[in-house]
Amino acid sequence: GLKGALQMAEALRQVNPNVILVAGGPAVRYVGTEFFSRTKVFNWIVTGEGEAAILALARGATDSVPGAATCQNGNVIEFSSKDTQLETLPFPLYSKQIYPNIDEFLPVRIIDDSRGCFNKCSFCAHPFLNGVTRKKSPKAVVDEMESLLLKNEISHFRLAGSNPPWLFLLRIAEEILRRGLSVQYSAFASLNNVRSEDIPLLAKSGLRGLFFGIESADPVYLKKIHNKKNHSPDIMIQTIQNAMVH
């Protein structure tokens, strides 16, 4: 948690006063530069998405880091950044040089298929942190699956998107079937965004788990408290039952 992370950072600072410490993640992004009012132990905090900031810092940037902020002599300096274009990101590198015990991991890999969400549920940070849904092309998602399957014999995946659009999932499934890949994967979904009749095709492509967000079967409560509208309870039950069958 945050408390433990701060304690580790402070311990590192004591051991090596000149080390560059960077904080990021949902907690930091949520509070933004107010984080510096809690601690001054970090040289930088990442207030945007992390790819551009980490790359700049790794290359030795000291004065301008996109999507990050620093506090110098009590003055907070923040640099803006654009949302990451997911299609431009390289495949993750899984190697024993980086992960010496990688063979001991569960043979499952996370695919960064999409970020953000089209819902605006009052309890969820995803729209606040990542905005409206951005997604890779279905081809790019399946390219990554196929690469891991052929190079590393990994055939189990989880799509990382908090709520990938339903038609996007269908296009991914169709691309998997077109290539004849033998994979299994899971994804998140919202019960205002599903079509029960599509589940057999998804299952045929290797989809083995759908994590539905129901929140409440009471539409009034759902709208007033969660700012959300699902399908009717009958359709929700039908969808869940269909998913369990397949």
Side-chain angles (χ1 to χ4, degrees):
L2 179 59
K3 183 178 180 180
L6 293 178
Q7 290 173 340
M8 286 190 289
E10 290 162 358
L12 284 169
R13 179 67 69 203
Q14 289 180 355
V15 173
N16 186 347
N18 297 317
V19 69
I20 302 297
L21 296 177
V22 183
V28 175
R29 293 185 66 193
Y30 189 80
V31 299
T33 57
E34 287 296 316
F35 191 78
F36 285 121
S37 66
R38 172 72 181 269
T39 178
K40 299 293 193 298
V41 71
F42 294 98
N43 301 83
W44 293 89
I45 62 170
V46 177
T47 55
E49 294 186 331
E51 287 85 3
I54 293 300
L55 183 60
L57 290 165
R59 288 173 171 171
T62 58
D63 54 354
S64 177
V65 177
T70 185
C71 187
Q72 301 175 0
N73 301 317
N75 297 315
V76 175
I77 306 171
E78 185 173 12
F79 300 94
S80 62
S81 68
K82 297 180 180 179
D83 287 335
T84 304
Q85 298 298 312
L86 301 184
E87 290 277 349
T88 66
L89 296 177
F91 292 165
L93 182 59
Y94 299 103
S95 73
K96 288 189 176 183
Q97 185 177 7
I98 300 173
Y99 305 105
N101 62 336
I102 192 168
D103 291 337
E104 300 173 19
F105 292 4
L106 287 173
V108 178
R109 297 293 181 265
I110 310 301
I111 305 293
D112 191 8
D113 62 295
S114 60
R115 297 179 186 177
C117 184
F118 51 85
N119 286 326
K120 295 183 179 179
C121 303
S122 58
F123 59 86
C124 183
H126 281 285
F128 174 82
L129 295 176
N130 295 306
V132 182
T133 305
R134 288 171 288 132
K135 56 188 185 295
K136 294 179 179 177
S137 68
K139 177 183 179 301
V141 173
V142 182
D143 281 348
E144 187 170 342
M145 288 182 173
E146 186 170 28
S147 176
L148 286 163
L149 179 63
L150 296 178
K151 293 179 180 179
N152 304 102
E153 297 183 346
I154 299 295
S155 59
H156 292 70
F157 305 96
R158 181 171 71 80
L159 302 186
S162 64
N163 190 15
W166 191 252
L167 290 180
F168 176 56
L169 285 179
L170 283 178
R171 299 292 89 82
I172 291 172
E174 290 168 351
E175 183 66 16
I176 290 171
L177 291 170
R178 187 186 71 79
R179 300 188 195 190
L181 300 182
S182 180
V183 298
Q184 296 186 24
Y185 63 103
S186 63
F188 294 94
S190 174
L191 279 170
N192 61 1
N193 176 43
V194 299
R195 297 190 314 200
S196 178
E197 62 269 24
D198 297 324
I199 289 177
L201 184 145
L202 290 166
K204 184 179 179 181
S205 74
L207 183 67
R208 292 295 179 266
L210 270 176
F211 299 89
F212 293 121
I214 298 175
E215 283 72 60
S216 174
D218 184 332
V220 176
Y221 182 86
L222 197 66
K223 180 62 179 177
K224 287 186 175 180
I225 305 301
H226 295 302
N227 191 33
K228 185 180 180 184
K229 181 180 179 180
N230 283 335
H231 290 306
S232 70
D234 288 343
I235 293 178
M236 288 193 292
I237 292 170
Q238 178 187 1
T239 300
I240 293 170
Q241 287 176 334
N242 203 12
M244 291 173 66
V245 168
H246 291 89

